[in-house]
Amino acid sequence: MNETELFIEMLEDEDADSILKYFQESLVGTRNTKATLEQKKQHIKKIFKSKTPNMIRRRRKGGADPFYNFLNNYTFTLEKANTFNEQLKLLSELKEDLTPCSRFANLLLEYPNEIREKFQHIEENIKLGKDPLDISDDFQTEEEVKAFFRKFRDFSGEDVPRKIVKVIEKYQPEEYQSKLQKCEKIVECYNLLEYYKNNKRLADEYGLSIVNAAYIRTHEHEDQEVLMLFAIEAMYALLQEKKVHALKQIGLQFIEMKQQLKEEENKWKEKQKEVTELKAEAKNFTKTLRAIEKDKVKMALQLKEMEHQLTEQAENFRNVKKHSDAAIQRITNEIEGKLKDKEQELEFQKFIHSEKMRLFQVEDSYVTDWALICVSDYDLTVELFPELTIVQGEDKKACTTVMNDPAIHTIYINMKGLSTKSFKELRQSIEQHNKVYKPLDFSTYKQLVEWIGYKKTIERQVVFQ
């Protein structure tokens, strides 16, 4: 891998978001906050290769290489070591504050040649899941360790007192900064003797830790041993204050715990009372159980009696079923006999029907240009003259079909059984369909049959008038 690929491989979510924000880039199809780290890495790889539309435009306008442009904008507050190995050691001690990619960026800017020689080792560490920059050589002598400690430890170097004051600031109370500024204005014009004479008064007002810190911050040219003593004294005073505060807190916690213990005792007494009540309930429950046991015995006897009754009822049911089965068989035989008789009757009716069809059969080629509408005797008329167009007067659909038939010119209406209203409706409908209607009024059905026979005979031209 090259430096760009290694850098991207070390990215964490926060680093990736910072790069996307710096270049004002967004992932296509998803919001940056919803994208996975791998999706962000792939997009950043395109940015560093100048393959996104935004970066292509920038490079065409003469923009700098995006990778080193971003690295040069990193802000580092740590000191620069004298050697590459010392820088690795220093960065290793800052693992909790700096991400792997930011440490790698520092080395790439400060020691580019030395870090490039370690690329293979870094890549192996990434594959093994180790810290990528776990590549420093161990110190060989005590002098090397001492030199490293003197230069990079918080309490080493020329300005140790001020460093100590800076370190203990985070453990000071909230009002520390405001009090420190006020005290600095007072002690900045004091020499050591004046400070000594006013030390107790100022310590009572501001606290010894703040007073010493104010003197150290405003008298950088004072004797270093004196300032060192003041710094140690400030640390000790802060420890004392913390101790007093801690003891006070412990005392408050002890009182609180004592109160909680008292509350727990009260709760325990309440529980004891509940236990006593439960015992009484349990005693009553035992009595109830005994009563239930007695009822259980009674119920067992009742169940036995019920079983005896059920046995008798079952026997009675079997007897009833036996008689019922015989009755069912008898009824079944009667029904089967009736069905047989019915089948014979149907066979006879079929025979009669076939004979009727044989006797009244006509040629299929017989066609008329007229139709007959009747109400009474419709079924019998159709059966006698199946070759004719005969419709039931109350069947509106069949009547309409006949009226629409272009082969039908005349429609006869049998008035027998037809109401005046129905006749008027049929006549009006026939006229609307441009057909000729002729009413027939026979007193008997025999006359209707004779008329139909006569009309058929005339149409066949076997009688000359």
Side-chain angles (χ1 to χ4, degrees), residues 368-371 389 401-403 405-411 434-435:
T368 63
D369 63 350
W370 57 274
T389 304
T401 301
V402 168
M403 293 174 194
D405 188 347
I408 302 297
H409 299 112
T410 304
I411 300 176
N434 296 318
K435 307 288 184 181

Side-chain angles (χ1 to χ4, degrees), residues 384-397:
L384 288 173
F385 302 102
E387 71 280 7
L388 298 178
T389 304
I390 304 172
V391 294
Q392 165 63 262
E394 294 177 352
D395 189 343
K396 303 295 185 184
K397 186 176 181 182

Side-chain angles (χ1 to χ4, degrees), residues 278-289:
L278 287 172
K279 285 181 178 179
E281 290 179 6
K283 187 175 181 180
N284 293 332
F285 184 68
T286 303
K287 292 179 179 179
T288 304
L289 281 178

Side-chain angles (χ1 to χ4, degrees), residues 278-330:
L278 287 172
K279 285 181 178 179
E281 290 179 6
K283 187 175 181 180
N284 293 332
F285 184 68
T286 303
K287 292 179 179 179
T288 304
L289 281 178
R290 289 174 182 169
I292 290 172
E293 286 295 328
K294 291 180 180 179
D295 292 340
K296 186 179 176 181
V297 173
K298 292 179 181 179
M299 289 177 68
L301 294 173
Q302 291 174 357
L303 285 172
K304 190 172 181 180
E305 179 63 26
M306 288 174 67
E307 286 176 0
H308 178 69
Q309 293 176 0
L310 287 172
T311 302
E312 290 182 351
Q313 291 176 3
E315 183 63 29
N316 293 335
F317 176 75
R318 282 193 291 271
N319 293 332
V320 171
K321 186 175 182 300
K322 184 177 179 181
H323 294 298
S324 297
D325 290 343
I328 291 170
Q329 185 61 45
R330 185 176 66 256

Side-chain angles (χ1 to χ4, degrees), residues 8 23 28 127 133 152 174 183 199 217 232 255 273 285 287 311 324 344 349 358 387 459:
I8 292 173
F23 289 105
V28 178
K127 290 178 181 178
L133 297 177
F152 299 112
E174 293 181 1
C183 192
N199 181 267
R217 285 164 59 92
I232 294 171
I255 294 171
K273 184 178 179 182
F285 184 68
K287 292 179 179 179
T311 302
S324 297
Q344 291 175 352
Q349 288 179 356
R358 183 179 63 81
E387 71 280 7
E459 289 178 351

Side-chain angles (χ1 to χ4, degrees), residues 84-252:
F84 173 67
N85 197 44
E86 279 189 358
Q87 192 74 6
L88 278 173
K89 293 288 185 184
L90 177 60
L91 289 170
S92 178
E93 294 187 355
L94 299 173
K95 285 181 183 179
E96 294 183 2
D97 300 320
L98 298 175
T99 60
C101 67
S102 60
R103 288 184 279 138
F104 179 72
N106 176 263
L107 293 169
L108 202 57
L109 293 174
E110 299 294 344
Y111 296 94
N113 296 328
E114 291 86 343
I115 191 63
R116 287 191 176 95
E117 293 176 1
K118 300 288 186 178
F119 278 5
Q120 186 175 354
H121 193 174
I122 293 171
E123 188 174 345
E124 289 174 359
N125 284 347
I126 292 173
K127 290 178 181 178
L128 295 172
K130 297 169 60 178
D131 178 16
L133 297 177
D134 187 11
I135 56 176
S136 61
D137 298 326
D138 292 334
F139 290 120
Q140 302 298 319
T141 64
E142 290 186 7
E143 289 304 320
E144 290 178 341
V145 178
K146 288 179 181 178
F148 181 78
F149 282 171
R150 288 192 189 102
K151 184 171 183 179
F152 299 112
R153 281 294 185 263
D154 288 335
F155 303 135
S156 63
E158 296 180 356
D159 198 17
V160 176
R162 292 177 69 86
K163 288 182 179 179
I164 292 174
V165 169
K166 185 66 178 175
V167 168
I168 65 175
E169 275 186 4
K170 58 176 135 180
Y171 304 104
Q172 295 285 5
E174 293 181 1
E175 65 275 10
Y176 172 74
Q177 288 296 338
S178 60
K179 286 186 176 182
L180 179 65
Q181 291 174 7
K182 291 178 182 179
C183 192
E184 283 180 348
K185 291 179 181 179
I186 297 172
V187 301
E188 63 183 352
C189 59
Y190 286 177
N191 58 32
L192 185 60
L193 179 61
E194 291 170 330
Y195 176 74
Y196 173 75
K197 290 180 179 180
N198 293 280
N199 181 267
K200 188 176 185 311
R201 176 180 62 81
L202 293 172
D204 290 341
E205 183 177 354
Y206 295 100
L208 183 60
S209 179
I210 292 175
V211 174
N212 283 9
Y215 189 81
I216 292 169
R217 285 164 59 92
T218 56
H219 293 73
E220 59 183 47
H221 299 298
E222 184 63 76
D223 185 277
Q224 286 297 304
E225 288 188 9
V226 172
L227 294 180
M228 189 66 181
L229 288 172
F230 284 171
I232 294 171
E233 192 176 50
M235 279 197 301
Y236 179 74
L238 180 61
L239 285 173
Q240 285 292 102
E241 291 173 8
K242 292 293 182 183
K243 179 182 177 182
V244 171
H245 179 73
L247 289 173
K248 185 177 179 181
Q249 290 297 317
I250 291 171
L252 292 173

